[in-house]
């Protein structure tokens, strides 16, 4: 005999937990099924172990989606202030690190403990180490796991994206979407380091560890990010690169301004008698880390020590066009871009239009946040909406 619930939620990550809490608070009997040995594993490793749980400046513009309007309703219904109120209710100390990013003072474990406690109070049944063997639709939904069966009129898919498979990521959400005829936008790793081809690796990658303040963009997309870039053994990383990676697609050139809002060659142009490599190195070292400055001049010497040549040198440092040869993939990606087509979902409830009672929330949906707490805010907000609908 199946165990009967009002809703079955697949995946006890950020979105699934929030959905379960909200539904439980409304008196719904909720089963939250998680295949890992514990809940909220990605929350635990997030934000370097301190969980960047939201962003004070969260706006729809901080999200990528084939339909940029879709996220607006959910983000308006459950705001950063709502999550902050929950964090404060549980006495969790937090701080703003930079750019509106809120982190725990202590550890991400506090956020997981908070969500677990809220689930307990709301009467949610959490089942870990529960692998989904089969999902059937029959006057509601039946989920088979091991020898057990669970039945409910509502099924919420909150199984996340494909990033970090060793943390338990699976493609179950996408498989279920396909099974039920729900369209998917092609998935790709996002918030991910970019790799360089062999030639560029030889040119730059021995500088691994060097970091610089840069502006990143990709051709023909208005979005720009001014943050740190880090050279790695295989290519480029750091927040500026992770941010732009979400917009980057194979064979697109990346454009970097390596000295934002600085005019490096101004003095050289004023002193014609001192135009040489030594003076140029001094000027570049004042704006960039020394090793990067020296390497840049080695690889991009001015065509001539004339005003025209110096102007070209200046132009190049603000417009470094380089074509990455790929990304570090799902192993290193913080999130998965693409996913369940938002046209399939109600923006208010996250319920699919084609299959009444079937919901998708969190990262499995084609809504991807910028770096900085936005992905959790989407998980909380979409989970909240579904939790209030089931
Ligand atoms: C290293 C790292 C750091 C991050 N740091 C931040 C940060 O500081 N701030 C931020 O906003 N975002 C951060 N993110 C992104 C954020 O973690 C995700 O966007 C967010 O967790 C998505 O929530 P979700 O509930 O949709 O998916 P998840 O949190 O991934 O939860 C999905 C759950 O479903 C379970 N599951 C998967 N497959 C199955 C299955 N077949 N059966 C049953 N259960 C299944 C998983 O085990 C998991 O518990 C980070 C991501 C990574 C990888």
């Amino acid at each position: 005999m199946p165990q009967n619930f009002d809703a079955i939620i697949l995946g006890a990550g950020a979105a699934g937990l929030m959905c379960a809490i909200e539904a439980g608070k409304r008196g719904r009997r909720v089963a939250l099924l998680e295949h890992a040995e514990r809940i909220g594993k990605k929350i635990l490793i997030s934000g370097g172990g301190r969980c960047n749980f939201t962003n004070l400046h969260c706006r729809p513009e901080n999200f990528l989606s084939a339909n940029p309007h879709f996220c607006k309703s959910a983000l308006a219904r459950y705001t950063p202030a709502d999550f902050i109120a929950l964090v404060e209710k549980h006495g969790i100390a937090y701080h703003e690190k930079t750019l509106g990013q809120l982190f725990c003072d202590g550890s991400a474990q506090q956020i997981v403990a908070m969500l677990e406690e809220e689930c307990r109070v709301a009467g949610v049944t959490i089942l870990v180490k529960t692998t989904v063997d089969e999902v059937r639709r029959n006057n509601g939904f039946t989920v088979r796991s091991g020898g057990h069966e669970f039945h409910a009129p509502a099924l919420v898919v909150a199984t996340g994206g494909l990033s970090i498979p060793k943390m338990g990521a699976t493609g179950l959400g996408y498989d279920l979407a396909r099974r039920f005829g729900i369209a998917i936008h092609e998935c790709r790793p996002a918030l991910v380091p970019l790799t360089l081809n062999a030639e560029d690796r030889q040119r730059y990658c021995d500088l691994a560890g060097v970091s610089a303040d840069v502006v990143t963009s990709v051709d023909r997309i208005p979005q720009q990010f001014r943050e740190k870039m880090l050279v790695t053994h295989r290519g480029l990383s750091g927040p500026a690169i992770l941010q732009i990676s979400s917009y980057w697609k194979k064979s697109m050139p990346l454009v970097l301004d390596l000295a934002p809002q600085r005019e490096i060659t101004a003095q050289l142009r004023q002193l014609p008698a001192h135009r040489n490599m030594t003076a140029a190195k001094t000027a570049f070292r004042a704006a960039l880390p020394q090793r990067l400055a020296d390497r840049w001049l080695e690889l991009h010497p001015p065509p001539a020590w004339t005003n025209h040549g110096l102007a070209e040198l200046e132009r190049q440092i603000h417009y470094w066009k380089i074509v990455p040869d790929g990304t570090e993939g799902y192993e290193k990606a913080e999130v998965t871009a693409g996913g369940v087509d938002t046209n399939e979902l109600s923006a208010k409830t996250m319920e699919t239009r084609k299959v009444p009672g079937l919901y998708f929330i969190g990262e499995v949906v084609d809504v991807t946040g910028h770096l900085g707490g936005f992905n959790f805010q989407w998980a909380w907000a979409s989970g909240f909406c579904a939790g209030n609908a089931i």
Side-chain angles (χ1 to χ4, degrees), residues 54-78:
T54 192
N55 192 297
L56 292 172
H57 312 308
C58 186
R59 289 176 312 155
E61 293 75 27
N62 298 115
F63 296 84
L64 292 85
S65 173
N67 176 2
H69 303 292
F70 178 80
C71 61
K72 287 181 180 171
S73 166
L75 293 174
R77 282 182 70 202
Y78 192 84

Side-chain angles (χ1 to χ4, degrees), residues 176-323:
L176 286 173
R178 279 184 213 102
R179 261 258 329 270
F180 286 107
I182 308 294
I184 293 173
H185 283 278
E186 194 185 344
C187 294
R188 60 179 197 284
L191 298 181
V192 63
L194 298 174
T195 56
L196 297 179
N197 64 32
E199 203 179 322
D200 285 328
R201 243 183 246 187
Q202 206 161 32
R203 286 189 178 124
Y204 299 106
C205 288
D206 62 321
L207 301 178
V210 170
S211 100
D213 178 31
V214 303
V215 174
T216 50
S217 55
V218 282
D219 259 4
R220 290 189 292 277
I221 293 178
Q223 194 72 47
Q224 290 194 332
F225 296 97
R226 181 170 179 173
E227 288 192 57
K228 291 272 186 227
M229 171 196 82
L230 175 74
V231 182
T232 70
H233 292 289
R234 289 159 53 86
L236 301 173
S237 187
I241 298 296
L242 299 183
Q243 295 279 34
I244 204 65
S245 74
S246 300
Y247 292 85
W248 182 80
K249 295 200 177 120
K250 191 84 185 159
S251 73
M252 268 186 180
L254 197 65
V255 178
L256 294 106
D257 180 347
L258 293 180
Q261 292 175 316
R262 300 190 71 142
E263 207 185 333
I264 301 185
T265 59
Q267 256 200 333
L268 292 175
R269 268 181 280 163
Q270 281 157 17
L271 299 169
H274 293 95
R275 287 177 180 177
N276 54 38
M277 199 45 109
T278 310
K281 270 191 183 167
T282 308
F284 271 68
R285 285 176 181 183
L288 295 173
Q290 180 173 326
R291 289 171 67 207
L292 182 59
D294 293 357
R295 179 63 51 84
W296 185 266
L297 286 168
E298 237 171 72
L299 295 171
H300 308 86
W305 294 103
T306 58
N307 277 351
H308 179 75
L310 291 175
E312 180 54 19
L313 186 63
E314 185 76 50
R315 192 193 65 77
Q316 285 182 3
I317 195 77
H318 299 291
Y319 196 79
W320 181 27
K321 218 170 170 179
I322 185 161
V323 184

Side-chain angles (χ1 to χ4, degrees), residues 10-17 33-36 38-43 45-48 50-54 103 130-132 158-161 163-164 167-173 191 332-335 361-364 370-379 382:
L10 304 180
L17 285 160
L33 311 188
E34 167 60 54
H35 75 152
R38 61 184 301 183
I39 64 167
K41 278 175 88 175
K42 239 180 221 174
I43 301 173
I45 59 158
S46 68
R50 289 230 159 93
C51 187
N52 176 194
F53 54 79
T54 192
F103 286 76
T130 302
T131 310
V132 176
T159 45
S163 42
I164 324 275
M167 295 297 299
T170 72
L172 178 68
L191 298 181
K332 294 277 172 68
E334 265 195 27
V335 287
I361 56 172
E363 200 179 312
V364 73
H370 289 170
L371 191 72
F374 302 105
N375 283 297
F376 277 137
Q377 189 58 37
W378 168 248
S382 56

Side-chain angles (χ1 to χ4, degrees), residues 321-365:
K321 218 170 170 179
I322 185 161
V323 184
D325 79 342
T327 75
E328 295 265 10
Y330 289 117
E331 310 294 316
K332 294 277 172 68
E334 265 195 27
V335 287
T336 302
V340 170
D341 186 342
T342 58
N343 288 326
E344 300 274 8
L345 306 177
S346 152
K348 202 162 167 243
T349 63
M350 307 293 142
E351 186 175 16
T352 58
R353 298 182 198 287
K354 285 182 190 145
V355 186
L358 177 65
Y359 298 73
F360 287 85
I361 56 172
E363 200 179 312
V364 73
V365 177

